[in-house]
Amino acid sequence: MEGDFIKINKWLLPFSWCYGLGVKLRNMLFEIGILKSKAFEIPIIAVGNITVGGTGKTPHVEYLAGMLQEQFRVAVLSRGYKRKSTGFVIANAHTTMPQIGDEPYQMKQKFPKVTVAVDKNRCHGIEQLTEQDKQLDVVLLDDAFQHRYVKPGINILLVDYHRLIIYDKLLPAGRLREPLDGKDRADIVIVTKCPQNLKPMEYRVITRAMSLYPYQQLYFTTLEYDELKPVFPEGSPDASLSQLSGKHVLLLTGIASPEQLVHDLSPLTPKLHPLTFSDHHQFHHKDIQLINDTFATMEEPKCIITTEKDVTRLQNIEGLSDEVRKKIYVLPVRIKFMQNQEEAFNNHIISYVRKNSRNSILTKGKSGHRSKESSPKKPAGDKPPTISFKNT
């Protein structure tokens, strides 16, 4: 199992214990009502994780937005990490990436019909969205599983297959941002970035080991890639991944977990050269010079591949050489549900939104307000057996 290879800094475990006490205290204050979670008269779907590092939040939020926009008026609300603005900002056709952050900007470019907004105060952001659009049907909260000041109707927890939370430890020894029982707040758990050839036995082992309650649903997703697209107008035409064979490829990333991308592209070319920056990295002159120099020293034939998120920070950067601009591609990514789970997942989400929409005349009572559908309470007991695994 992948969990056998998770690195745990055991000498930091005493600090993890202290950190865990603080997190447990915060969660307890929410549970007993000293800290308040606010519910809203509109369907709210929160997507997030309880780990440090990328679990594929953006592709999953994009999947939800793309699927729901066919039937509903959808808004995505994010905090807008590393943006240059403050307060509530709603994106329009003229909004720039620095105003809202790279991930919200990426989503607005891909889904122009979807309302995209940013606000560090999620409650305030939802209030603003619902006031400005009385016909809004659903709000997707990006990276909000731990943002407990909002009470979502559906809480979706993402878990990276390559670092399953059942094997991990709390910060700083591991990467968990809260104790493992935090997963009990989830209505849906999705194991992300799974290998496409995942064996039936692995599904069963992970399902049992996750030890979910009966009210929780477990799904598995993998990543799929579309054709390579030129980043700049002067770039080469679209290309398929099969055309990478024999080429030297500079993989330029500034994302939380580039390992999956390296793993997926490595079989396509033995000449892959990763150039990795930190998540949300803002490219400066020295970075641009490094990109230019690294690419210039590579043998022909060659190209550069980067991610959709990185493109939002590269497109308006000055200083990229003509050679780089002509040969840099973006690799679009999307998620795919495994085990034929897509229809069940879609039906679950659509049913929730339709039943709880403030615009649905079918669910409005005599008072004119919708009937609330909240997440089920955690039952006592009735939990599947837990399988123990040893961390190394």
Side-chain angles (χ1 to χ4, degrees):
M1 291 295 297
E2 293 287 336
D4 294 337
F5 302 100
I6 289 180
K7 179 177 175 58
I8 301 296
N9 296 312
K10 295 182 179 180
W11 65 277
L12 290 174
L13 285 173
F15 299 98
S16 296
W17 184 80
C18 295
Y19 172 82
L21 284 180
V23 177
K24 282 181 177 291
L25 175 61
R26 177 180 183 268
N27 284 336
M28 183 184 71
L29 293 177
F30 276 105
E31 297 299 334
I32 64 179
I34 294 177
L35 294 178
K36 304 293 184 182
S37 298
K38 184 174 181 179
F40 290 87
E41 291 290 322
I42 186 172
I44 306 289
I45 301 173
V47 181
N49 58 30
I50 59 172
T51 56
V52 174
T55 53
K57 292 186 298 293
T58 300
H60 284 79
V61 174
E62 288 181 348
Y63 178 90
L64 286 166
M67 182 262 292
L68 289 170
Q69 72 172 352
E70 301 301 322
Q71 300 184 43
F72 306 101
R73 290 176 69 93
V74 182
V76 176
L77 179 63
S78 173
R79 63 173 173 163
Y81 185 65
K82 285 195 173 182
R83 62 186 170 118
K84 302 300 182 183
S85 61
T86 58
F88 177 81
V89 179
I90 191 165
N92 57 43
H94 307 290
T95 302
T96 63
M97 187 279 291
Q99 290 177 300
I100 58 174
D102 51 11
E103 291 170 347
Y105 183 80
Q106 173 186 324
M107 278 186 265
K108 186 61 180 177
Q109 296 300 303
K110 293 179 76 170
F111 303 101
K113 292 197 304 181
V114 171
T115 300
V116 175
V118 294
D119 197 332
K120 185 177 180 180
N121 185 329
R122 306 297 176 88
C123 290
H124 178 261
I126 295 171
E127 290 167 356
Q128 291 296 309
L129 284 169
T130 53
E131 287 177 9
Q132 295 188 25
D133 186 355
K134 302 298 183 183
Q135 300 303 310
L136 190 63
D137 290 309
V138 57
V139 176
L140 305 178
L141 293 184
D142 181 25
D143 195 12
F145 186 82
Q146 291 189 294
H147 189 87
R148 301 197 60 184
Y149 290 99
V150 174
K151 185 176 182 180
I154 291 183
N155 227 349
I156 299 178
L157 174 65
L158 304 182
V159 177
D160 188 342
Y161 168 86
H162 299 282
R163 195 174 179 102
L164 293 170
I165 57 177
I166 52 178
Y167 306 119
D168 219 335
K169 299 293 183 182
L170 282 168
L171 291 167
R175 293 187 184 178
L176 290 181
R177 295 189 293 191
E178 66 175 284
L180 186 58
D181 60 9
K183 67 181 173 61
D184 296 344
R185 299 197 306 274
D187 304 290
I188 292 173
V189 177
I190 302 178
V191 180
T192 68
K193 302 181 182 179
C194 295
Q196 295 191 8
N197 61 347
L198 197 63
K199 296 179 176 59
M201 176 60 73
E202 290 186 271
Y203 286 113
R204 293 194 291 270
V205 170
I206 293 173
T207 298
R208 289 173 60 85
M210 286 298 295
S211 191
L212 299 181
Y213 283 98
Y215 66 85
Q216 298 176 298
Q217 297 187 19
L218 180 64
Y219 296 91
F220 295 82
T221 61
T222 188
L223 296 179
E224 288 193 330
Y225 304 101
D226 291 328
E227 282 195 338
L228 295 164
K229 305 287 184 182
V231 173
F232 297 102
E234 62 267 38
S236 303
D238 294 2
S240 66
L241 289 176
S242 62
Q243 292 175 270
L244 296 180
S245 177
K247 283 189 177 182
H248 288 267
V249 178
L250 180 62
L251 180 60
L252 174 60
T253 60
I255 58 177
S257 299
E259 295 84 6
Q260 183 66 43
L261 194 53
V262 173
H263 176 272
D264 292 341
L265 294 183
S266 291
L268 303 177
T269 172
K271 304 169 183 178
L272 189 68
H273 311 276
L275 182 56
T276 304
F277 296 89
S278 61
D279 194 21
H280 303 279
H281 182 77
Q282 298 297 323
F283 295 97
H284 299 292
H285 175 74
K286 64 178 182 179
D287 304 317
I288 300 304
Q289 193 60 50
L290 176 61
I291 295 169
N292 291 340
D293 292 345
T294 303
F295 192 61
T297 59
M298 291 170 53
E299 297 179 16
E300 294 282 2
K302 60 185 177 180
C303 68
I304 301 179
I305 293 177
T306 192
T307 70
E308 293 173 292
K309 187 165 79 170
D310 290 306
V311 164
T312 65
R313 287 174 274 115
L314 285 168
Q315 280 181 321
N316 297 316
I317 291 290
E318 296 182 358
L320 289 173
S321 68
D322 290 341
E323 184 183 29
V324 167
R325 291 176 64 90
K326 289 178 181 177
K327 296 184 178 181
I328 184 169
Y329 293 91
V330 60
L331 180 59
V333 63
R334 63 178 183 272
I335 67 160
K336 178 184 178 182
F337 281 87
M338 307 178 78
Q339 291 191 310
N340 298 313
Q341 293 179 321
E342 181 175 0
E343 183 176 359
F345 177 84
N346 290 357
N347 288 341
H348 184 171
I349 298 297
I350 291 171
S351 175
Y352 160 71
V353 175
R354 183 174 290 128
K355 288 179 180 178
N356 293 275
S357 173
R358 59 180 180 170
N359 302 308
S360 173
I361 60 173
L362 298 176
T363 58
K364 287 182 179 178
K366 294 181 180 179
S367 63
H369 298 287
R370 71 168 178 85
S371 58
K372 292 185 179 180
E373 179 180 299
S374 58
S375 301
K377 299 289 185 181
K378 181 174 73 172
D382 197 21
K383 204 171 187 180
T386 300
I387 300 178
S388 298
F389 295 88
K390 182 180 180 181
N391 289 313
T392 60

